[in-house]
Amino acid sequence: MRTLLFGILLLATACRRPSTQFAAMLTPVRPPADYSPYLKAGDELVALGNDPTWSLTVNPSKGTLFFKSGKDSLTTSVPERQTDSDGVLRYNAPVGDGSLNIVFRPDSCVDAKTGQPYDYRVQIDRHGKHYVGCGVSLQKMTLLQDIWVLTELQGKTIAADASRQEVPRLEISLTDGRVTGTTGCNRLSGPVKADTRQIVFGPLITTKMACMGAAGDLEGPFLNALNAPLMYQIGSGRLTLLQNGAALMVFKKVD
């Protein structure tokens, strides 16, 4: 009987769903949404919902908040944002004889129509109507838009030396949906997309110059590493690309 109970306990443990934190570090299978129009516009927060269909953008650079539901839309000044200790973002925007109350609550949220994952559950109240949906902050994505020099690949330190023309680097522009750079020998370019969890490069094209020595040895593994969707961590001038939860490449921001 004890053996049977122990076996049942092991089976129950094995069948548990992985934690949100662990699952978020696994290599994703769904391509990221295209946020380039919002990034070009300078939007910081984006939210949307269904039943009824609605959308919201908050653009601090222009000082505007835009809300649309069906044929009804409004643009107003961005009110002061209130941030709770648990990361909840709140806006209370005066609109005519009423107000637009907006809450961004940090929590996993999947859009029922597209299946796209988001980082916030969003609630909006206006004129007695209640809207619910999903939202995202684009601040993390804006940090990606820079020039990054490779410092580590598959646990090995990458440094400039006499046998290498230059260190591999990537220049990421999500507003244009393009990445350019070098393998350390050949130039590369191609499309790129990212959300707050993952980044997808390619298909990438390169020039065809023959690569000798260290540059030639590095080019293949570097391009292969960029050939699949990758999770990423970014901060303090450092970009880490991960595969199945493990660091695959580390880049340093160009000063």
Side-chain angles (χ1 to χ4, degrees), residues 48-207:
L48 52 84
N50 307 292
D51 301 322
T53 300
W54 62 269
S55 62
L56 171 80
T57 57
V58 179
N59 191 317
S61 62
K62 296 179 180 178
T64 57
L65 183 154
F66 178 73
F67 175 75
K68 182 177 181 180
S69 178
K71 296 181 179 179
D72 182 25
S73 65
L74 67 89
T75 301
T76 185
S77 299
V78 178
E80 182 179 357
R81 183 168 74 188
Q82 304 296 324
T83 304
D84 297 351
S85 59
D86 57 357
V88 174
L89 310 178
R90 301 178 187 273
Y91 293 91
N92 189 344
V95 178
D97 57 352
S99 63
L100 188 68
N101 295 306
I102 304 164
V103 178
F104 279 74
R105 193 175 305 278
D107 193 7
S108 296
C109 184
V110 177
D111 181 71
K113 188 174 182 180
T114 65
Q116 192 68 40
Y118 293 86
D119 301 326
Y120 290 90
R121 293 189 179 275
V122 182
Q123 300 175 355
I124 298 176
D125 290 292
R126 182 192 179 209
H127 291 165
K129 293 184 179 180
H130 188 62
Y131 304 86
V132 294
C134 301
V136 63
S137 169
L138 306 187
Q139 287 184 317
K140 187 177 180 181
M141 282 172 260
T142 60
L143 295 177
L144 280 170
Q145 301 204 109
D146 221 307
I147 302 174
W148 302 93
V149 175
L150 185 69
T151 60
E152 186 178 312
L153 175 62
Q154 297 175 333
K156 297 181 180 180
T157 300
I158 307 299
D161 57 44
S163 62
R164 184 179 292 117
Q165 295 179 13
E166 57 183 322
V167 177
R169 67 173 58 200
L170 300 174
E171 184 171 357
I172 299 172
S173 174
L174 295 179
T175 54
D176 298 323
R178 300 290 298 175
V179 60
T180 57
T182 175
T183 66
C185 175
N186 280 294
R187 300 291 172 181
L188 65 83
S189 64
V192 61
K193 283 186 179 181
D195 56 22
T196 58
R197 298 174 176 82
Q198 62 174 318
I199 186 167
V200 178
F201 298 96
L204 299 175
I205 60 174
T206 66
T207 54

